[in-house]
Amino acid sequence: QVQLSESGGGLVQAGGSLRLSCAASGRTVSNYVLGWFRQAPGKEREIVAAVYWGGSTTYYADSVKGRFTISRDNAKNMVYLQMNNLKPEDTAIYYCNAKFRGESTWLNNWGQGTPVTVAS
């Protein structure tokens, strides 16, 4: 079973940048879609970005388009989220997850997440 571990969060001023990392273990994720999600206080978890197995096909939520970039390194079993021009509304706990090729649902074993706080 795939285990996921997020890191890289922190406190940053509005307009700043952070790079989140997610390490997958247990099996190779080269045949998985990898995604980043976030959950802000009092809100439901939402998908932020996803990258397909080849790395060239990506998805971004409208709220982060042009500011966030998702990437993956299949050799290292890693997925990253580069976040630029951060806004206070980006404050949330960020999680990564994986979805096997052809499957419709994400894994149900969420990690601890990594908190991101953007100060205005």
Side-chain angles (χ1 to χ4, degrees):
Q1 187 169 352
V2 177
Q3 303 294 324
L4 301 159
S5 179
E6 305 90 348
S7 62
L11 172 65
V12 64
Q13 295 291 318
S17 299
L18 282 174
R19 188 192 192 213
L20 306 183
S21 299
C22 172
S25 60
R27 62 175 60 186
T28 180
V29 292
S30 58
N31 281 321
Y32 286 74
V33 179
L34 299 175
W36 282 97
F37 296 73
R38 66 186 181 188
Q39 187 166 19
K43 295 188 177 181
E44 292 190 355
R45 189 174 293 166
E46 62 175 355
I47 188 167
V48 174
V51 57
Y52 284 71
W53 35 88
S56 59
T57 301
T58 56
Y59 162 83
Y60 294 96
D62 287 344
S63 58
V64 306
K65 279 181 182 176
R67 300 188 298 121
F68 290 10
T69 302
I70 189 170
S71 61
R72 64 190 293 164
D73 186 334
N74 286 340
K76 295 182 179 179
N77 246 22
M78 298 285 294
V79 61
Y80 307 97
L81 187 68
Q82 177 66 43
M83 306 187 295
N84 297 329
N85 190 22
L86 282 159
K87 303 176 180 181
E89 51 264 43
D90 294 317
T91 295
I93 298 177
Y94 284 71
Y95 302 87
C96 62
N97 207 325
K99 181 168 60 173
F100 189 72
R101 191 169 187 165
E103 293 289 328
S104 60
T105 57
W106 298 87
L107 298 177
N108 60 10
N109 54 327
W110 295 88
Q112 296 289 326
T114 186
V116 171
T117 303
V118 184
S120 58

Coordinates of all heavy atoms in Angstrom, one line a residue, residues 12-45:
V12 N 4.7 32.2 5.9 CA 5.3 33.0 4.9 C 4.4 34.3 4.8 O 3.2 34.2 5.0 CB 5.4 32.3 3.6 CG1 4.0 31.9 3.0 CG2 6.2 33.0 2.5
Q13 N 5.0 35.3 4.4 CA 4.3 36.6 4.1 C 3.6 36.5 2.8 O 4.0 35.8 1.9 CB 5.3 37.8 4.1 CG 5.9 38.0 5.5 CD 4.9 38.6 6.5 OE1 4.1 39.4 6.2 NE2 5.1 38.0 7.7
A14 N 2.5 37.2 2.7 CA 1.8 37.3 1.4 C 2.8 37.7 0.3 O 3.6 38.6 0.5 CB 0.6 38.3 1.5
G15 N 2.7 37.1 -0.8 CA 3.6 37.3 -1.9 C 4.8 36.4 -1.9 O 5.5 36.4 -2.9
G16 N 5.0 35.7 -0.9 CA 6.1 34.8 -0.8 C 5.9 33.5 -1.4 O 4.9 33.3 -2.1
S17 N 6.9 32.6 -1.3 CA 6.9 31.3 -1.9 C 7.2 30.2 -1.0 O 7.9 30.4 0.0 CB 7.9 31.3 -3.1 OG 7.6 32.2 -4.1
L18 N 6.7 29.0 -1.3 CA 7.0 27.8 -0.5 C 7.0 26.7 -1.5 O 6.3 26.7 -2.5 CB 6.0 27.5 0.6 CG 6.1 28.3 1.9 CD1 4.9 27.9 2.7 CD2 7.4 28.0 2.6
R19 N 7.8 25.7 -1.2 CA 7.8 24.4 -2.0 C 7.5 23.3 -1.1 O 8.3 23.0 -0.2 CB 9.2 24.2 -2.7 CG 9.2 23.1 -3.7 CD 10.6 22.7 -4.1 NE 10.6 21.8 -5.3 CZ 11.5 20.9 -5.5 NH1 12.5 20.7 -4.6 NH2 11.5 20.1 -6.6
L20 N 6.4 22.6 -1.4 CA 6.0 21.4 -0.7 C 6.5 20.2 -1.4 O 6.6 20.1 -2.6 CB 4.5 21.4 -0.6 CG 3.8 22.6 0.0 CD1 2.3 22.3 0.1 CD2 4.4 23.0 1.3
S21 N 6.9 19.2 -0.6 CA 7.3 17.9 -1.1 C 6.5 16.8 -0.5 O 6.0 16.9 0.6 CB 8.8 17.7 -0.7 OG 9.6 18.7 -1.2
C22 N 6.3 15.8 -1.3 CA 5.6 14.6 -0.8 C 6.3 13.4 -1.2 O 6.6 13.2 -2.4 CB 4.2 14.6 -1.4 SG 3.3 13.0 -1.0
A23 N 6.7 12.6 -0.2 CA 7.4 11.3 -0.5 C 6.5 10.1 -0.4 O 5.7 10.0 0.6 CB 8.5 11.1 0.5
A24 N 6.5 9.3 -1.4 CA 5.6 8.1 -1.5 C 6.5 6.9 -1.2 O 7.6 6.8 -1.6 CB 5.0 8.0 -2.8
S25 N 6.0 6.0 -0.4 CA 6.7 4.8 -0.1 C 5.7 3.6 -0.1 O 4.5 3.8 -0.2 CB 7.3 4.9 1.3 OG 6.4 5.1 2.3
G26 N 6.3 2.4 -0.2 CA 5.4 1.2 -0.2 C 5.4 0.6 -1.6 O 5.4 -0.6 -1.7
R27 N 5.3 1.4 -2.6 CA 5.4 0.9 -3.9 C 5.6 2.1 -4.9 O 5.4 3.3 -4.5 CB 4.1 0.2 -4.4 CG 2.8 1.0 -4.3 CD 1.6 0.3 -4.9 NE 1.4 -0.9 -4.1 CZ 0.5 -1.9 -4.4 NH1 -0.2 -1.7 -5.5 NH2 0.3 -2.9 -3.7
T28 N 6.1 1.8 -6.0 CA 6.3 2.9 -7.0 C 5.0 3.6 -7.4 O 4.0 2.9 -7.6 CB 7.1 2.4 -8.2 OG1 7.3 3.5 -9.1 CG2 6.3 1.3 -8.9
V29 N 5.0 4.9 -7.6 CA 3.8 5.6 -8.0 C 3.9 6.1 -9.4 O 3.1 7.0 -9.8 CB 3.5 6.8 -7.0 CG1 3.2 6.3 -5.6 CG2 4.7 7.7 -7.0
S30 N 4.7 5.5 -10.2 CA 4.8 5.9 -11.6 C 3.6 5.7 -12.4 O 3.4 6.4 -13.4 CB 6.0 5.2 -12.3 OG 5.8 3.8 -12.2
N31 N 2.7 4.8 -12.0 CA 1.4 4.6 -12.6 C 0.2 5.2 -11.9 O -0.9 4.8 -12.1 CB 1.2 3.1 -12.8 CG 2.0 2.6 -14.0 OD1 2.1 3.2 -15.0 ND2 2.5 1.4 -13.8
Y32 N 0.5 6.2 -11.1 CA -0.5 6.9 -10.3 C -0.6 8.3 -10.7 O 0.4 9.0 -11.1 CB -0.2 6.9 -8.8 CG -0.4 5.5 -8.1 CD1 0.5 4.5 -8.3 CD2 -1.5 5.3 -7.3 CE1 0.3 3.3 -7.7 CE2 -1.6 4.1 -6.6 CZ -0.7 3.1 -6.8 OH -0.9 1.9 -6.2
V33 N -1.8 8.9 -10.7 CA -2.0 10.3 -10.7 C -1.6 10.8 -9.3 O -2.0 10.1 -8.3 CB -3.4 10.7 -11.0 CG1 -3.6 12.2 -11.0 CG2 -3.9 10.1 -12.3
L34 N -0.9 11.8 -9.2 CA -0.5 12.4 -7.9 C -1.1 13.8 -7.7 O -1.1 14.6 -8.7 CB 1.0 12.5 -7.8 CG 1.7 11.1 -7.9 CD1 3.2 11.4 -7.8 CD2 1.3 10.2 -6.7
G35 N -1.7 14.0 -6.6 CA -2.4 15.3 -6.4 C -2.0 15.9 -5.1 O -1.6 15.3 -4.1
W36 N -2.3 17.2 -5.0 CA -2.2 18.0 -3.8 C -3.6 18.5 -3.5 O -4.3 19.0 -4.4 CB -1.2 19.2 -4.0 CG 0.2 18.8 -3.9 CD1 1.1 18.6 -4.9 CD2 1.0 18.6 -2.7 NE1 2.3 18.2 -4.5 CE2 2.3 18.3 -3.1 CE3 0.7 18.7 -1.3 CZ2 3.3 18.0 -2.2 CZ3 1.7 18.5 -0.4 CH2 3.0 18.1 -0.8
F37 N -3.9 18.4 -2.2 CA -5.2 18.9 -1.7 C -4.9 19.9 -0.5 O -3.8 19.9 0.0 CB -6.0 17.7 -1.2 CG -6.4 16.7 -2.2 CD1 -5.5 15.9 -2.8 CD2 -7.7 16.7 -2.6 CE1 -5.9 14.9 -3.7 CE2 -8.1 15.7 -3.6 CZ -7.2 14.9 -4.1
R38 N -5.9 20.6 -0.2 CA -5.7 21.5 1.0 C -7.1 21.6 1.7 O -8.1 21.4 1.1 CB -5.3 22.9 0.6 CG -6.2 23.7 -0.2 CD -5.5 25.0 -0.6 NE -6.4 25.9 -1.3 CZ -6.0 27.0 -1.9 NH1 -4.8 27.4 -1.9 NH2 -6.9 27.7 -2.6
Q39 N -6.9 21.8 3.0 CA -8.1 22.0 3.9 C -7.9 23.2 4.8 O -7.0 23.1 5.7 CB -8.5 20.7 4.7 CG -9.8 20.8 5.4 CD -10.2 19.5 5.9 OE1 -9.5 18.5 6.1 NE2 -11.5 19.4 6.2
A40 N -8.7 24.2 4.6 CA -8.6 25.4 5.4 C -9.6 25.2 6.6 O -10.5 24.4 6.6 CB -9.0 26.6 4.6
P41 N -9.3 25.9 7.7 CA -10.2 25.8 8.9 C -11.6 26.0 8.5 O -12.0 27.0 7.9 CB -9.6 26.9 9.8 CG -8.2 27.1 9.4 CD -8.2 26.9 7.9
G42 N -12.5 25.1 8.9 CA -13.9 25.2 8.7 C -14.4 25.0 7.3 O -15.5 25.1 7.0
K43 N -13.5 24.5 6.5 CA -13.8 24.2 5.1 C -13.5 22.8 4.7 O -12.8 22.1 5.4 CB -13.1 25.2 4.1 CG -13.4 26.6 4.3 CD -12.8 27.5 3.2 CE -13.2 28.9 3.3 NZ -12.6 29.7 2.2
E44 N -14.1 22.3 3.6 CA -13.9 21.0 3.2 C -12.6 20.9 2.4 O -12.1 21.9 1.9 CB -15.0 20.5 2.3 CG -16.4 20.4 3.0 CD -17.4 19.7 2.1 OE1 -17.1 19.4 0.9 OE2 -18.5 19.4 2.6
R45 N -12.0 19.7 2.4 CA -10.8 19.5 1.7 C -11.1 19.7 0.2 O -12.1 19.2 -0.3 CB -10.3 18.1 1.9 CG -8.9 17.8 1.4 CD -8.5 16.4 1.9 NE -8.2 16.4 3.3 CZ -8.1 15.2 4.0 NH1 -8.2 14.1 3.4 NH2 -7.9 15.3 5.3

